[in-house]
Amino acid sequence: MHKVLILDFGSQYNQLIARRIREMHVYCELHPYSVGIDFIKTFSPSGIVFSGGPRSVTDPGAPDVPYEIFDLGIPILGICYGMQLTAHKLGGTLGTGHAREYGRATVTVTEPNSPLFKDISPATQVWMSHGDHVTQLPAGFRPLAKSDSIPFAAAGDDRRRIYLVQFHPEVRHTLEGNRILSNFLFEICHIAPDWRMDDFIASNIEKIRAIVGAKKVILGLSGGVDSSVAAALLGKAIGRQLTAIFVDNGLLRLNEREEVERHFSERANLIVVDASSLFLSRLKGVEDPEQKRKIIGNTFIEVFETEAAKIAGAEFLAQGTIYPDVIESSSHVKGPSATIKTHHNVGGLPDRMNLKLVEPLRDLFKDEVRELGLKLGLPPETVFRHPFPGPGLAVRVIGEVTKERCDILRQADHIYIEEIRAAGFYSDIAQAFAVLLPVKTVGVMGDNRTYEHVLALRAVKTDDFMTADWYEFPSSFLKKVSSRIINEVKQVNRVVYDISSKPPATIEWE
């Protein structure tokens, strides 16, 4: 199988490069720029992509690669920082200052016969994000495109098959970016598009069986997409050697426990633990969202360990880790960043429980996980379900979490999602949910004054969850949802709609 190596220099778009390449049915992996020449030789890629990055090539300690990489005979595409680094390493000159470009720009193709710009418009919109730029090309390179601000928006050395672009072809704002990446893969690297989900299933079933043998595997099943697909793949590979543990923490959506039991009781040994009283008792009086997450995470581990200890002979723990998780946890490129919120998972369990880790989805992006789930026979309503936070309703009940407040939110959220599905909006929305606010307001129902809860509705559209815009429902839809919730859910007398985007807001409220 052909594969592409992406070297990460810290670009905020690094995962997008990998996703675009995977979408073209070419297998690729993203690794830190510092992996070294021996790793690259062993990986044996058919092409290498240098990502962008926030640093200046001339900064002390700036990310670098060994010169030997350019002598391997492997085609290289340098993007933004990758262009500047390559030009600098091979003898070119960089400039800074007035030519900074951020955002949309128009690039004029000056060498339409270049394989990189095959079938690209003479003038095309791209996305720029740079301060430095190349002012003199290295020997052997020719200019391929220019913009109003810089003379070399793209360049190439056809003999060595090294191509450089100052813009970001991986982002949607570069209108013909996919075509440029496609040209690199198929016209320059001569890669066959042989990354197929059917092949992934077959090869990974063999891999799982070889690793696990006749041993038992434990999986924490949440009901979300990743753990559900992992359970389905493991169930197909090893059947009843898999025991899936589902913990009902009292913070689930309406009927979620029943849906899990219906879909997975025949795929694996399924253990359902009702620990709702324990979770809710520990959350009593807690309002801080980070404290909620820590309590829920620690309690989950405690409950999970207790149940897992009852399974004699288990040697493996399976997790629904996917490729973006791997990238974020293993990157050595980026500096420290602010903690927006901690994430609830089963991290730490393998060490605590002395179990070996099995992660059957660790090579897949979310869209590939969904494709895999469909091929494994999971229902579309499970595979395409909107994301649900690990702490569940606890971070959608703002303030103290109680059974009463969770029940109110559960019912309202169910009505909201039910109406979204009925109206045909669900697949257009990346995430939709209701939030119960820690305030009450005056209302009138019948001839009586009420003083009841306020419920907020949230729906966003996004490609990558890094940024998001609020979804513009028709007013008639919001009117219908509001009417149903107020009439059918006791203790709610006011419904509002959240029209804030990310940034500055986050998608979840806590």
Side-chain angles (χ1 to χ4, degrees):
M1 180 178 68
H2 289 95
K3 51 190 177 181
V4 169
L5 173 64
I6 305 166
L7 293 183
D8 178 15
F9 292 93
S11 171
Q12 61 180 314
Y13 306 125
N14 56 16
Q15 291 189 33
L16 289 181
I17 302 172
R19 286 186 60 188
R20 300 293 174 254
I21 292 174
R22 292 276 188 92
E23 287 168 0
M24 297 175 195
H25 300 290
V26 173
Y27 183 75
C28 64
E29 290 185 13
L30 178 68
H31 289 275
Y33 70 89
S34 55
V35 290
I37 200 69
D38 290 337
F39 173 88
I40 296 171
K41 290 178 179 178
T42 301
F43 189 83
S44 189
S46 299
I48 299 174
V49 178
F50 291 175
S51 84
R55 302 285 299 276
S56 173
V57 171
T58 55
D59 286 346
D64 198 2
V65 292
Y67 187 90
E68 188 180 354
I69 195 172
F70 302 106
D71 293 329
L72 295 177
I74 301 171
I76 293 173
L77 175 64
I79 297 173
C80 195
Y81 182 94
M83 174 179 187
Q84 297 158 17
L85 176 64
T86 302
H88 178 70
K89 296 283 287 187
L90 297 180
T93 304
L94 303 183
T96 59
H98 69 281
R100 291 176 180 268
E101 284 183 296
Y102 297 97
R104 292 177 177 85
T106 298
V107 158
T108 301
V109 177
T110 56
E111 285 290 344
N113 294 326
S114 168
L116 189 66
F117 287 99
K118 181 181 178 182
D119 298 327
I120 300 298
S121 304
T124 185
Q125 177 184 296
V126 301
W127 184 260
M128 292 283 192
S129 179
H130 70 92
D132 296 350
H133 62 283
V134 178
T135 55
Q136 181 177 333
L137 294 174
F141 282 79
R142 59 172 176 155
L144 303 179
K146 64 180 181 179
S147 74
D148 290 340
S149 298
I150 55 175
F152 308 120
D157 181 334
D158 296 326
R159 183 182 63 83
R160 287 188 287 184
R161 295 187 296 172
I162 300 176
Y163 294 87
L164 313 174
V165 292
Q166 186 56 72
F167 53 88
H168 290 272
E170 68 274 21
V171 303
R172 297 298 188 195
H173 300 305
T174 298
L175 298 184
E176 296 179 273
N178 274 5
R179 178 75 253 181
I180 292 170
L181 289 174
S182 174
N183 285 341
F184 176 70
L185 298 175
F186 306 126
E187 300 294 328
I188 294 168
C189 300
H190 304 295
I191 290 175
D194 53 10
W195 169 244
R196 294 286 188 275
M197 193 52 65
D198 289 333
D199 296 329
F200 174 87
I201 293 173
S203 64
N204 276 268
I205 284 176
E206 290 181 12
K207 186 185 299 183
I208 291 166
R209 289 172 177 168
I211 292 172
V212 172
K215 305 296 192 306
K216 293 181 181 178
V217 180
I218 302 170
L219 169 73
L221 181 61
S222 70
V225 177
D226 300 337
S227 69
S228 296
V229 175
L233 180 58
L234 286 161
K236 187 175 181 65
I238 58 175
R240 296 289 169 172
Q241 290 172 244
L242 172 67
T243 297
I245 299 174
F246 178 80
V247 178
D248 183 349
N249 57 13
L251 308 168
L252 306 174
R253 290 167 285 195
L254 191 67
N255 302 324
E256 191 154 17
R257 174 174 169 174
E258 292 78 8
E259 289 176 12
V260 168
E261 290 176 319
R262 184 170 67 253
H263 293 317
F264 292 99
S265 58
E266 295 183 1
R267 292 177 181 267
N269 298 316
L270 178 63
I271 296 174
V272 177
V273 186
D274 187 349
S276 54
S277 296
L278 176 63
F279 278 86
L280 290 171
S281 66
R282 291 184 176 179
L283 289 167
K284 185 176 181 179
V286 177
E287 297 186 2
D288 179 75
E290 279 299 292
Q291 193 176 352
K292 289 181 190 178
R293 290 174 183 272
K294 289 175 182 176
I295 289 171
I296 293 167
N298 292 334
T299 305
F300 174 84
I301 290 175
E302 179 183 324
V303 173
F304 188 87
E305 282 182 312
T306 300
E307 292 302 318
K310 301 175 184 177
I311 304 170
E315 293 191 14
F316 292 89
L317 174 71
Q319 292 187 168
T321 308
I322 64 174
Y323 198 44
D325 302 327
V326 175
I327 293 169
E328 289 168 7
S329 64
S330 66
S331 175
H332 305 301
V333 178
K334 298 179 182 176
S337 58
T339 299
I340 306 302
K341 60 186 178 184
T342 55
H343 293 273
H344 169 64
N345 51 42
V346 292
L349 278 174
D351 292 336
R352 292 169 61 110
M353 300 172 63
N354 196 29
L355 295 175
K356 302 168 188 172
L357 194 60
V358 177
E359 297 175 311
L361 309 180
R362 66 177 285 117
D363 292 331
L364 301 181
F365 283 100
K366 179 70 83 172
D367 54 338
E368 295 170 325
V369 172
R370 296 188 196 279
E371 181 186 354
L372 173 60
L374 291 177
K375 286 188 175 290
L376 291 171
L378 291 178
E381 58 266 27
T382 296
V383 171
F384 291 103
R385 199 172 196 183
H386 291 172
F388 188 60
L393 299 183
V395 290
R396 293 179 179 174
V397 170
I398 310 302
E400 184 182 10
V401 180
T402 65
K403 182 180 185 302
E404 179 190 38
R405 300 189 75 207
C406 286
D407 286 341
I408 293 170
L409 180 57
R410 241 188 297 272
Q411 296 174 56
D413 186 78
H414 181 75
I415 291 170
Y416 181 37
I417 299 302
E418 185 177 66
E419 289 295 336
I420 287 175
R421 289 187 184 277
F425 298 140
Y426 194 82
S427 61
D428 296 329
I429 297 170
Q431 193 169 358
F433 55 91
V435 180
L436 187 65
L437 305 187
V439 294
K440 291 185 176 182
T441 62
V442 173
V444 177
M445 300 186 77
D447 294 324
N448 298 316
R449 174 187 183 276
T450 63
Y451 189 61
E452 305 290 2
H453 293 283
V454 180
L455 189 92
L457 304 179
R458 179 79 157 140
V460 299
K461 50 188 179 181
T462 178
D463 289 331
D464 52 21
F465 289 88
M466 295 171 62
T467 62
D469 292 319
W470 57 279
Y471 189 82
E472 297 185 44
F473 288 116
S475 59
S476 58
F477 172 82
L478 291 173
K479 180 179 179 180
K480 182 178 182 181
V481 172
S482 175
S483 178
R484 276 199 64 190
I485 290 174
I486 291 172
N487 283 309
E488 298 177 33
V489 182
K490 293 180 180 180
Q491 301 185 55
V492 174
N493 69 358
R494 192 178 300 271
V495 175
V496 297
Y497 186 54
D498 181 352
I499 60 169
S500 47
S501 296
K502 177 186 179 181
T506 54
I507 294 175
E508 294 284 351
W509 280 44
E510 286 192 344

